[in-house]
Amino acid sequence: MNKLSLIIKREYLAKVRNKSFVIMTFLSPILMVAMVILIAYLTKVNDNESRIIAILNESDFFSNDFVGSETVSFVDFRDISLEAAKDSVAGLGFDGLLYIPRDTSLKAVTEGAFFFTPDAPPTQVVQRLENTFQERLRQGYLQELGITAADYAAMDANFDLNTATFSGETNLKGITELKAFIGGGFGYLIMMFIIIYGGFVMRSVIEEKTSRIIEVIISSVKPFQLMLGKIIGTSLAGITQFAIWIVSAGILLLISFAVFDIDPSALNTGVSVAPNMGPAMPSVDHTMQLYAQELFKIPWVMLITFFLIYFILGYLIYSSIYAAIGAAVDNETDTQQFIFPIIMPLMLAIYVGFFSVFSNPHGPIAVGFSLFPLTSPIVMLMRLPGGIGEGGVPIWELVTSIILLIATFIGIVWLAAKIYRVGILMYGKKPTYKELFKWLRY
């Protein structure tokens, strides 16, 4: 056990004292924050650009239907020809000309309308104009059928079905997807950590193997102790770096938003549409308060606790495989044939997990992938924000998932140790899958 602790200490100090490790530990948060600030700034600059559109309306319709906003302004042209309007728009540098011809029929007027632009028009602007035409056509058709404006407003109002649990608690639309997204964020962190720091373990083994230092080391320690020490030491170095990234990036982000006066909501983009003509809906602030209350109800302590459990077990499983691969090859180029089968379950867990958990968190696909050891660290975390027990993840599924992870870890470490024991002394030969299976029988 003393030798194992020495190996862990050696691997940890070797990583944290490495110049590239130190530089990237402090440089990465700066680069990440700079990228976020740049995106927010460019989005803000892009949104502040106001487009000016001229309207030549020769009909008796659409007199007050086109209302300007912060991003689009409308200028009315009157008593001029279409060609003169085009020349004026080009001369004034406007972004487009909306021509509405004269006709007695609303349908004929809309079918004859044209939007002239110097080049291809932005999709947001075209969709805004189309929404206005579509809304006016719908109103016109209904008025021809004898439906009043008040009746139309009542008919066009959105309907929200009241939902609640059997205990009487109100449900919010999309809260299941939001919880799955939060869990998916934790799962994505696990995947990225495994890919990045699992590769560190593999490269560390390759470096020692190619420099022949490994021959000296294994004369004093068992290959299994060396492999386990590398895995734990590298993981501790990775956790240290990751913690520094999270704390420093969060502080830098808050300082940058304050210094550059950037609203975080600038990162949200969307298409502007015409306001709803129906009855007043519940205020946005009230809805946001309800969602905030639901987020506070998420068992964060439980979620973070199981995140650490699944993170540790998942990382140990995959890093053992990475260590075995590093022992089986002589250079990083030869690892390519083995890497894809490793990361494929992780990618499958992310994509299948999102599709299955979003639609049905208790369906057979979601349950199956949350029990399968190579995907459970990600998929189970997507389900856990819904809670444990009644209405959430059944306790037996959670316990079974952890037991399977532990059993899988023991089995994979045992198999990886066999490959590691033979592979660290093999030089100048690129192993095949068939040879790896032979090593498992030694």
Side-chain angles (χ1 to χ4, degrees):
M1 183 60 88
N2 185 45
K3 292 181 179 180
L4 178 61
S5 62
L6 289 175
I7 296 171
I8 294 173
K9 182 179 178 180
R10 171 184 172 273
E11 290 296 324
Y12 179 81
L13 293 178
K15 289 290 181 298
V16 298
R17 289 176 178 175
N18 186 278
K19 284 186 179 181
S20 61
F21 183 91
V22 174
I23 292 173
M24 292 309 299
T25 297
F26 294 98
L27 184 61
S28 294
I30 297 175
L31 294 176
M32 287 188 290
V33 171
M35 182 179 67
V36 173
I37 296 299
L38 179 62
I39 293 173
Y41 174 75
L42 294 176
T43 304
K44 183 178 180 181
V45 171
N46 185 67
D47 290 342
N48 287 338
E49 181 184 359
S50 179
R51 301 182 181 276
I52 303 176
I53 297 175
I55 300 178
L56 178 59
N57 186 5
E58 298 178 347
S59 72
D60 297 327
F61 307 98
F62 302 102
S63 56
N64 297 312
D65 290 277
F66 295 96
V67 181
S69 65
E70 294 181 357
T71 57
V72 179
S73 301
F74 296 102
V75 177
D76 288 329
F77 282 179
R78 299 181 183 277
D79 302 325
I80 60 174
S81 66
L82 177 59
E83 294 302 322
K86 289 182 180 179
D87 293 338
S88 299
V89 167
L92 294 171
F94 288 176
D95 295 281
L97 169 66
L98 177 61
Y99 173 64
I100 304 175
R102 175 178 297 279
D103 207 302
T104 57
S105 168
L106 175 62
K107 182 179 180 181
V109 168
T110 53
E111 290 178 350
F114 271 92
F115 183 46
F116 300 97
T117 56
D119 48 24
T123 304
Q124 296 91 334
V125 175
V126 175
Q127 185 172 349
R128 180 188 179 95
L129 298 177
E130 290 175 344
N131 288 340
T132 303
F133 279 108
Q134 183 177 356
E135 183 72 14
R136 187 66 179 85
L137 273 173
R138 187 183 293 113
Q139 292 181 14
Y141 289 147
L142 293 174
Q143 287 175 1
E144 291 178 0
L145 297 174
I147 298 176
T148 64
D151 292 335
Y152 169 74
M155 180 183 65
D156 195 50
N158 292 327
F159 173 75
D160 291 323
L161 180 65
N162 296 319
T163 61
T165 63
F166 286 115
S167 60
E169 296 181 2
T170 302
N171 290 324
L172 292 174
K173 290 191 298 184
I175 194 65
T176 300
E177 290 80 3
L178 181 60
K179 290 179 179 179
F181 186 80
I182 293 172
F186 282 109
Y188 188 78
L189 287 177
I190 291 178
M191 184 188 75
M192 294 305 299
F193 197 94
I194 288 173
I195 292 176
I196 294 173
Y197 294 102
F200 280 4
V201 175
M202 181 180 66
R203 283 189 288 272
S204 176
V205 175
I206 294 175
E207 289 173 2
E208 291 184 351
K209 181 179 176 181
T210 53
S211 62
R212 303 298 174 93
I213 297 176
I214 199 74
E215 296 176 354
V216 178
I217 296 176
I218 63 171
S219 64
S220 303
V221 298
K222 295 180 179 179
F224 178 79
Q225 289 179 314
L226 181 60
M227 183 186 73
L228 196 59
K230 281 184 172 296
I231 293 171
I232 298 175
T234 304
S235 64
L236 290 176
I239 291 173
T240 302
Q241 187 180 57
F242 199 71
I244 295 174
W245 282 356
I246 295 296
V247 174
S248 57
I251 295 174
L252 285 174
L253 201 59
L254 292 176
I255 294 174
S256 301
F257 281 150
V259 171
F260 294 101
D261 191 25
I262 295 178
D263 185 359
S265 61
L267 294 172
N268 297 326
T269 59
V271 178
S272 299
V273 295
N276 196 311
M277 302 295 292
M281 300 299 294
S283 66
V284 175
D285 291 339
H286 178 66
T287 303
M288 293 303 295
Q289 289 177 0
L290 293 177
Y291 277 100
Q293 291 175 3
E294 288 293 328
L295 290 178
F296 279 118
K297 290 180 182 178
I298 293 177
W300 291 103
V301 176
M302 177 274 293
L303 186 61
I304 293 174
T305 301
F306 280 103
F307 165 74
L308 294 175
I309 293 173
Y310 279 101
F311 161 73
I312 293 172
L313 292 175
Y315 176 75
L316 290 175
I317 288 174
Y318 279 95
S319 58
S320 300
I321 302 174
Y322 273 107
I325 292 175
V329 300
D330 288 338
N331 56 74
E332 198 168 340
T333 304
D334 295 336
T335 63
Q336 300 307 313
Q337 62 174 326
F338 302 108
I339 292 298
F340 182 71
I342 297 177
I343 65 174
M344 187 170 64
L346 296 173
M347 297 171 59
L348 191 64
I350 287 291
Y351 291 109
V352 176
F354 269 113
F355 284 117
S356 61
V357 176
F358 269 48
S359 59
N360 186 6
H362 304 297
I365 301 299
V367 173
F369 275 82
S370 63
L371 294 179
F372 183 59
L374 297 182
T375 58
S376 61
I378 295 175
V379 180
M380 183 60 81
L381 284 173
M382 294 183 183
R383 301 177 61 203
L384 280 178
I388 300 175
E390 184 179 356
V393 178
I395 296 178
W396 73 267
E397 292 183 4
L398 188 63
V399 174
T400 303
S401 174
I402 294 176
I403 292 175
L404 288 175
L405 271 174
I406 295 174
T408 303
F409 165 65
I410 295 173
I412 288 182
V413 167
W414 180 73
L415 294 174
K418 285 181 170 290
I419 297 176
Y420 190 88
R421 182 181 58 187
V422 179
I424 53 176
L425 297 177
M426 298 288 291
Y427 300 99
K429 185 179 180 181
K430 185 176 180 180
T432 62
Y433 285 105
K434 184 177 180 180
E435 290 176 324
L436 291 178
F437 284 120
K438 286 183 180 180
W439 294 359
L440 294 175
R441 294 182 293 179
Y442 290 162

